[in-house]
Amino acid sequence: MRRSTLTRLRRLSGLARPKKKSNVLRWTARAIGGLSFGTATVSVYQYIKLRSTYQPLTPPKGAVSGVELPLVSKSDGLDSTQILFVGDSLVIGIGCPDRSEGPVFARHISRIAAQTMQKRVKWRVMGVDGGDVNSMRENLMEEVKRAVGPGNPKVSAVVIMCGLNDYKALIQEGRLPSMFKEDLRCLIRSIKDIVGEEVRVVLPALPVDRAPLFKSLFPMNVMLYKVAKVWDHQKRLLSGEELDVEFVVEPEDYVSDDWAVDGIHPSEKGYTKWADHIIHKMLPRLVQKLEKKPGAEQEDET
């Protein structure tokens, strides 16, 4: 009965059967817990259908690095530090218009950090559009190495935006939350091996379950909410297991114009709100860490 129901839904979707689809419901129920067969079946069908019709937005054009200064009359003689932004389409700023100065998310976090710490803050964005944590580790480590090359300030923090594409791996590959957690641990350790063990790593929760695109897709929106919470919980667990790793919960309030036209990525306003929330959560520990190591930053010559 279960197999025939799922087969009918596949035929209705007009899509070929994905790899290992016979195990999708078992994986999903195991990952989330308390999920009925009917809810899982309809949710998987909705996901397949949505994936076939979703029109991705074009990544915005603009700078991928820059410098933010505190509100002082002169920048000469200021200490410098660097913040890296590693992630998927969210860190790239998909959903925003082209900006020559670069993604508002990285710029806003760095600007507030510069003003609060009275330091010259260099920022760099390193993203893989559509990437999960494994693809980030495979494709971005050379960029991380360049960021710590001669003439660059010491990296004090790394913000990792991940999870959105790792959700897909549950349905497509059966990758469970525990696997995501270990993949993320490998990414964090790979970054720390390059930039230094003392760097502060920030793992923001993703508010994707609040995205307008999913509001009308019941029961998939219920499943997505549960999946998002389970995956974010893995980040929270890592923050307790790994040194200098911090989990930041998502903002509480979102309104319609906080989202881009695709209904899943934030708008420029939404990214700014999200960035403001994250930087004010991470600043106290970041300031405390930097104050413990005065003069550790190198002068930025770029």
Side-chain angles (χ1 to χ4, degrees), residues 261-275:
V261 293
D262 68 344
I264 188 170
H265 290 92
S267 63
E268 196 164 45
K269 179 175 175 288
Y271 275 114
T272 302
K273 177 186 289 187
W274 196 8

Side-chain angles (χ1 to χ4, degrees), residues 148 154-158 185-201 241-245 289 293:
V148 297
K154 185 176 180 65
V155 177
S156 57
V158 179
R185 191 194 306 274
C186 287
L187 175 62
I188 291 170
R189 291 185 176 179
S190 295
I191 292 172
K192 283 182 170 256
D193 285 344
I194 298 170
V195 304
E197 289 295 323
E198 71 280 3
V199 71
R200 188 77 183 171
V201 175
E241 297 171 4
E242 296 288 320
L243 185 64
D244 286 321
V245 174
K289 174 173 281 293
K293 299 183 179 181

Side-chain angles (χ1 to χ4, degrees), residues 210-226:
R210 305 185 190 191
L213 180 66
F214 307 117
K215 282 190 174 180
S216 62
L217 295 176
F218 179 84
M220 178 184 158
N221 51 7
V222 176
M223 185 186 80
L224 181 63
Y225 174 82
K226 292 184 177 182

Side-chain angles (χ1 to χ4, degrees), residues 1-298:
M1 174 63 181
R2 292 186 175 186
R3 182 173 298 176
S4 63
T5 302
L6 188 55
T7 301
R8 285 197 297 272
L9 287 172
R10 284 196 202 101
R11 289 172 180 169
L12 284 171
S13 70
L15 297 176
R17 175 179 176 173
K19 274 186 173 183
K20 302 181 182 178
K21 184 58 75 173
S22 60
N23 292 323
V24 163
L25 303 181
R26 176 171 58 83
W27 290 330
T28 306
R30 179 181 168 190
I32 301 173
L35 193 69
S36 71
F37 169 74
T39 298
T41 302
V42 176
S43 298
V44 168
Y45 163 69
Q46 289 175 320
Y47 166 78
I48 294 172
K49 194 69 175 178
L50 179 63
R51 191 163 175 247
S52 68
T53 57
Y54 174 72
Q55 296 296 318
L57 298 177
T58 304
K61 297 176 183 178
V64 293
S65 65
V67 175
E68 298 296 331
L69 301 173
L71 297 175
V72 294
S73 57
K74 293 183 180 180
S75 61
D76 295 341
L78 286 174
D79 288 336
S80 296
T81 190
Q82 187 174 193
I83 301 176
L84 306 184
F85 297 85
V86 176
D88 50 27
S89 59
L90 292 168
V91 81
I92 296 171
I94 290 184
C96 293
D98 295 347
R99 295 288 185 195
S100 60
E101 61 268 35
V104 67
F105 181 81
R107 287 189 290 111
H108 187 80
I109 285 180
S110 302
R111 183 180 305 118
I112 299 298
Q115 293 170 2
T116 303
M117 300 187 296
Q118 288 296 296
K119 291 180 182 289
R120 191 169 181 262
V121 177
K122 183 166 187 176
W123 56 268
R124 293 175 184 262
V125 168
M126 308 169 186
V128 180
D129 188 9
D132 58 15
V133 291
N134 282 330
S135 64
M136 293 173 202
R137 185 161 57 90
E138 292 167 2
N139 294 289
L140 299 179
M141 294 306 99
E142 288 303 315
E143 289 190 53
V144 175
K145 290 177 183 177
R146 287 194 289 272
V148 297
N152 289 308
K154 185 176 180 65
V155 177
S156 57
V158 179
V159 179
I160 303 178
M161 308 293 287
C162 65
L164 182 61
N165 298 295
D166 296 274
Y167 301 159
K168 302 173 187 176
L170 170 65
I171 292 179
Q172 296 170 0
E173 303 171 26
R175 294 194 65 77
L176 298 172
S178 58
M179 299 176 185
F180 165 67
K181 178 185 170 187
E182 293 311 310
D183 291 342
L184 181 53
R185 191 194 306 274
C186 287
L187 175 62
I188 291 170
R189 291 185 176 179
S190 295
I191 292 172
K192 283 182 170 256
D193 285 344
I194 298 170
V195 304
E197 289 295 323
E198 71 280 3
V199 71
R200 188 77 183 171
V201 175
V202 179
L203 304 174
L206 301 187
V208 64
D209 54 292
R210 305 185 190 191
L213 180 66
F214 307 117
K215 282 190 174 180
S216 62
L217 295 176
F218 179 84
M220 178 184 158
N221 51 7
V222 176
M223 185 186 80
L224 181 63
Y225 174 82
K226 292 184 177 182
V227 167
K229 296 307 176 188
V230 171
W231 259 247
D232 280 341
H233 184 61
Q234 306 310 305
K235 300 177 187 177
R236 189 190 297 273
L237 291 174
L238 269 180
S239 71
E241 297 171 4
E242 296 288 320
L243 185 64
D244 286 321
V245 174
E246 179 179 1
F247 173 72
V248 177
V249 299
E250 72 271 23
E252 288 297 326
D253 59 320
Y254 277 96
V255 294
S256 58
D257 61 350
D258 288 336
W259 300 95
V261 293
D262 68 344
I264 188 170
H265 290 92
S267 63
E268 196 164 45
K269 179 175 175 288
Y271 275 114
T272 302
K273 177 186 289 187
W274 196 8
D276 196 66
H277 171 79
I278 291 170
I279 186 57
H280 284 98
K281 292 290 186 181
M282 66 183 272
L283 262 177
R285 290 185 179 89
L286 182 58
V287 170
Q288 185 181 43
K289 174 173 281 293
L290 289 175
E291 286 178 346
K292 286 180 180 178
K293 299 183 179 181
E297 298 81 11
Q298 305 166 29

